[in-house]
Amino acid sequence: MKIGIADTNFARYDMARAAIKELKRGCSAEIIRYTVPGVKDLPVAAKILIEERGCCLVMALGMPGPKPIDKTCAHEASTGLIMAQLMTNTHIIEVFVHEDEADSEGELASLAERRTREHAENAIKLLYYPERLTREAGTGQREGFEDAGRVGD
Ligand SMILES: Cc1nc2c(=O)[nH]c(=O)nc-2n(C[C@H](O)[C@H](O)[C@H](O)CO)c1C
């Protein structure tokens, strides 16, 4: 089993290091890392990891900046990642941490670490323990922040 990690040098935190640590802690998959300049380069990187490098899941890690143009880039990248998933019938877990989600550099680093690790846990569940995701259905899970929790009965 191979898991791909696509990340960017635009990001201000080494999200791939966090992902790799968590994946190694939870499974024995081979990990293939592919770093590109920015989020808009992630869709093709993910597709190459799947089609040419044999990955059965990819985590796409990126950090959109705070400007309107960055938000547009992130939306375009997201659309591309969805297209790549549909073209390859393979999960690409988008892990984006927007710079303006945090109030300080320290908070941004913690959020990037925690969201990436929690999505790495999701990747492991998708591949190895899908029944655990089903058990969590409807429980308001949130990656990087406290879970929102269940409503109703
Ligand atoms: C404006 C802009 N903003 C971001 C961003 O917020 N986050 C990011 O990762 N990359 C950004 N980029 C770079 C593009 O994603 C891409 O790398 C270049 O357009 C080259 O294809 C650009 C050009």
Side-chain angles (χ1 to χ4, degrees), residues 10-79:
F10 192 102
R12 300 180 62 201
Y13 189 79
D14 188 353
M15 297 166 72
R17 188 181 53 192
I20 291 166
K21 240 189 264 166
E22 195 61 36
L23 290 172
K24 286 198 164 153
R25 209 172 65 83
C27 73
S28 58
E30 182 184 340
I31 295 162
I32 303 179
R33 182 174 182 176
Y34 184 168
T35 307
V36 293
V39 286
K40 287 200 290 185
D41 312 309
L42 289 173
V44 73
K47 189 164 173 284
I48 288 169
L49 283 166
I50 293 162
E51 292 184 343
E52 297 180 16
R53 310 289 297 276
C55 293
C56 52
L57 180 147
V58 172
M59 294 181 69
L61 314 175
M63 188 171 284
K67 298 182 193 148
I69 184 70
D70 300 323
K71 302 288 182 196
T72 302
C73 279
H75 182 258
E76 289 166 347
S78 243
T79 307

Side-chain angles (χ1 to χ4, degrees), residues 97-147:
V97 177
H98 291 251
E99 270 191 67
D100 56 9
E101 283 186 90
D103 291 329
S104 67
E105 292 191 350
E107 209 180 288
L108 183 62
S110 311
L111 177 60
E113 175 76 22
R114 182 169 169 190
R115 180 167 296 157
T116 307
R117 280 179 175 265
E118 291 184 0
H119 271 306
E121 289 172 8
N122 284 335
I124 292 169
K125 287 178 202 164
L126 268 170
L127 289 176
Y128 296 91
Y129 313 104
E131 71 286 353
R132 292 187 190 169
L133 281 174
T134 306
R135 235 181 282 138
E136 287 172 2
T139 60
Q141 299 294 307
R142 298 290 184 271
E143 289 75 19
F145 293 119
E146 290 310 303
D147 295 335

